[in-house]
Amino acid sequence: MGFRLFGTFIPYYGTCILIGIACAFLIGFYLCKKLSLNTDDFMIICAYLVAFGFTGAKILYILVSLKYINWSFVFQSMKNFNAFIGSGFVFFGGLIGGLLAMPFIKKIHKIDVYSYLKCLTPALGVAHCFGRIGCSLAGCCHGRPTTGNFYFIYTESIAAPNGVKLFPIQGIEAFSVLCIAIVCFILVIKKKDIKVHYLYISIYSVVRFILEFYRADSVRGFAAGLSTSQIISISLLLIIICLEIYERFIRKKKIVKAEEITEQENI
């Protein structure tokens, strides 16, 4: 699904992805300036995140949909191969790929990448929102058939059933991640001492876990009755909780040690 511009077919999904990346970069750049961070380093980080993110998103897509992919068709022509490479991504794969890029960037470029997370988190949310809008327009990641008044009907989608009332799950997710991104943006602007990346991942994991029950596309991978994304959601949420507990323990330990040193100096 898409539109034609000067005789060239432009897919909705790819267009939304590009718009999302552009908006994310502008927001991140603005926050980078606001927090007095190095914009050159920010651009280096963004380049790595885009590369690692798309690679991770594609790899996870291949893993969860391996049995549905017709490899002979994919490699039948360059056109088919380009179509395969340009479509089919899993957000969590992109998120994990981006996180894996962080220590790599820090080691190679000697950049304190973690100080840029406050800029990157709201930007990620905006890019994520546009990605889901692209899914909604293309019909991928579609919802279950519904008899309610809140629905979306496709007429020419190659991913979703046409002529059927479907629960607009992509639109709901797009709105949800946009709200999370706005909250994170406000917290960063107000310079609140909150790890917005923890907040984003935690809230989104809960939202994604719930919304997965309303999806109807089969290319998601399942284990123990849960989809791949639900398993990843639970895992990420548990990791965030453990990290927060560990970091609070370390902070408390440092405070106690500092108090002990102060007491010894006063004796």
Side-chain angles (χ1 to χ4, degrees):
M1 298 175 69
F3 60 96
R4 290 196 172 274
L5 182 65
F6 304 117
T8 302
F9 179 76
I10 309 294
Y12 289 134
Y13 184 79
T15 302
C16 287
I17 292 293
L18 290 176
I19 294 174
I21 291 175
C23 291
F25 179 80
L26 291 175
I27 291 171
F29 194 83
Y30 169 78
L31 291 176
C32 200
K33 287 280 192 180
K34 194 79 174 177
L35 299 177
S36 301
L37 294 171
N38 190 301
T39 53
D40 291 336
D41 287 346
F42 175 73
M43 288 189 281
I44 291 173
I45 294 171
C46 286
Y48 274 94
L49 292 183
V50 169
F52 275 72
F54 272 103
T55 301
K58 193 64 187 181
I59 289 174
L60 187 55
Y61 169 78
I62 292 173
L63 291 175
V64 300
S65 58
L66 195 59
K67 64 180 180 180
Y68 300 101
I69 300 173
N70 185 345
W71 292 107
S72 59
F73 176 78
V74 171
F75 291 103
Q76 190 176 50
S77 67
M78 185 56 69
K79 180 181 178 181
N80 293 350
F81 180 76
N82 289 336
F84 172 74
I85 294 298
S87 62
F89 299 95
V90 178
F91 171 75
F92 274 134
L95 178 62
I96 294 170
L99 292 174
L100 291 175
M102 291 296 196
F104 184 79
I105 301 169
K106 185 176 182 179
K107 184 175 180 62
I108 298 297
H109 296 278
K110 312 301 180 185
I111 299 173
D112 182 17
V113 290
Y114 301 103
S115 63
Y116 289 82
L117 286 172
K118 285 189 175 183
C119 303
L120 295 167
T121 302
L124 170 67
V126 172
H128 191 180
C129 172
F130 275 97
R132 279 306 181 210
I133 292 173
C135 287
S136 181
L137 294 174
C140 60
C141 311
H142 60 83
R144 294 179 178 276
T146 180
T147 56
N149 296 322
F150 197 41
Y151 60 85
F152 197 96
I153 298 178
Y154 293 96
T155 57
E156 53 181 23
S157 174
I158 60 174
N162 294 302
V164 180
K165 292 182 178 180
L166 300 176
F167 187 71
I169 190 166
Q170 311 101 314
I172 292 174
E173 186 170 338
F175 178 74
S176 299
V177 295
L178 179 61
C179 289
I180 301 172
I182 291 172
V183 170
C184 290
F185 182 85
I186 293 172
L187 290 173
V188 173
I189 289 295
K190 290 183 175 295
K191 297 183 178 180
K192 298 293 184 180
D193 188 22
I194 296 175
K195 295 183 178 69
V196 289
H197 55 295
Y198 280 8
L199 181 68
Y200 186 92
I201 294 174
S202 299
I203 297 177
Y204 177 69
S205 294
V206 174
V207 171
R208 181 62 180 270
F209 184 88
I210 296 171
L211 290 180
E212 281 289 305
F213 290 113
Y214 297 91
R215 280 179 61 169
D217 56 313
S218 58
V219 188
R220 287 184 287 150
F222 287 89
L226 297 175
S227 71
T228 303
S229 293
Q230 286 178 315
I231 294 172
I232 295 175
S233 294
I234 295 172
S235 301
L236 287 175
L237 187 58
L238 290 175
I239 289 171
I240 293 297
I241 291 172
C242 290
L243 285 173
E244 186 61 32
I245 292 173
Y246 173 75
E247 289 174 4
R248 287 190 179 187
F249 172 77
I250 294 298
R251 285 197 298 270
K252 186 175 180 180
K253 192 174 181 179
K254 287 181 178 179
I255 292 172
V256 171
K257 189 174 181 179
E259 290 176 348
E260 290 176 351
I261 294 172
T262 303
E263 289 177 1
Q264 291 176 359
E265 290 176 347
N266 293 332
I267 294 176

